[in-house]
Amino acid sequence: MIFNDFIFYTLAAILLFAGIRVITTRNPVYAALHLVLAFFTAAGIWLLLEAEFLAIALVLVYVGAVMVLFLFVVMMLDINLDKLREGFWDYLPMAGTIGLLMAVEMVMILSGKYFAPTTVASKSADYSNTAELGRVLYTDYLLPFELASVVLLVAIIAAIVLTLRDRQDSKSMNPAEQVLVKKQDRLRIVKMDAVVETPSVEDPKADKEKS
């Protein structure tokens, strides 16, 4: 076993551990931190595969922006963990079925012709893996790329619909109704006469009796 293989198996073990801890830990902050570790480890594996652009993009976009936002949201929101765990095991059959289907799909993809072992040719000095990635992505993998974009678009629309739905516990306001508000509907001016309190004169004999 060469040194690169040792690094790969070490990073792969750390990545599997971090991925398992993301879905098994009860603290959402710990889960987000384990996800950061998983992203860093995946970036290291991509560096071993000479995909520097993907590794840098993963660290800058996901670790540097998305995961920091997740951490701030999780730490600032008052999340009731007990309420979130209610009915968790009711979704286990559906989650297991989806996970099994995803595993079957990954086995089918990894056993395809795209991942067959090939000989690595020597690269010239002006070789750019970013340009090669763009060429392969928009030629051989154009259909999977378009399908992934459609899935992401559906996910964005679903997130907007779930956020803007009418909820009883939501405290959101309608900007259109706020603009149409008139002063006389919200403000009432009450005129009252000024009241001046006169200082009370205490009896000196009562003060002596108190002392």
Side-chain angles (χ1 to χ4, degrees):
M1 180 183 293
I2 61 177
F3 184 68
N4 289 338
D5 294 337
F6 175 76
I7 295 177
F8 171 76
Y9 286 114
T10 303
L11 294 178
I14 297 174
L15 181 59
L16 288 176
F17 169 76
I20 293 173
R21 289 298 296 167
V22 169
I23 62 176
T24 56
T25 183
R26 295 185 176 182
N27 194 326
V29 178
Y30 291 166
L33 292 176
H34 281 101
L35 190 56
V36 171
L37 176 61
F39 285 152
F40 266 108
T41 309
I45 294 177
W46 278 345
L47 286 176
L48 290 178
L49 298 176
E50 298 182 359
E52 295 87 0
F53 174 75
L54 293 177
I56 295 175
L58 181 63
V59 173
L60 292 180
V61 176
Y62 286 93
V63 179
V66 177
M67 287 312 305
V68 173
L69 178 62
F70 283 175
L71 283 176
F72 275 113
V73 171
V74 169
M75 296 176 68
M76 293 179 65
L77 292 179
D78 187 11
I79 300 177
N80 189 357
L81 298 179
D82 296 332
K83 187 176 181 180
L84 290 178
R85 297 194 196 102
E86 292 179 357
F88 175 77
W89 296 108
D90 297 338
Y91 300 98
L92 184 61
M94 179 60 69
T97 304
I98 295 175
L100 181 61
L101 291 176
M102 293 176 63
V104 172
E105 291 174 355
M106 292 178 65
V107 171
M108 294 173 60
I109 293 175
L110 292 176
S111 60
K113 63 179 181 178
Y114 297 107
F115 294 93
T118 57
T119 57
V120 180
S122 59
K123 302 178 180 61
S124 59
D126 57 348
Y127 174 78
S128 174
N129 57 4
T130 306
E132 186 68 19
L133 175 65
R135 185 190 67 79
V136 175
L137 186 63
Y138 291 104
T139 54
D140 299 338
Y141 296 94
L142 180 60
L143 181 59
F145 178 77
E146 295 293 337
L147 292 177
S149 63
V150 173
V151 172
L152 291 177
L153 178 61
V154 172
I156 294 173
I157 296 175
I160 295 174
V161 171
L162 291 175
T163 304
L164 296 180
R165 64 180 180 178
D166 295 332
R167 297 172 53 184
Q168 299 297 329
D169 56 346
S170 178
K171 297 182 180 179
S172 61
M173 294 176 290
N174 189 357
E177 295 180 357
Q178 290 181 326
V179 173
L180 297 177
V181 170
K182 298 181 180 179
K183 181 180 66 174
Q184 55 269 19
D185 298 336
R186 293 294 182 91
L187 179 62
R188 186 180 65 175
I189 301 176
V190 179
K191 295 183 178 181
M192 299 178 61
D193 297 333
V195 178
V196 180
E197 296 183 357
T198 57
S200 60
V201 180
E202 297 183 354
D203 190 3
K205 295 182 179 180
D207 294 338
K208 290 182 180 179
E209 292 177 357
K210 292 181 181 180
S211 61

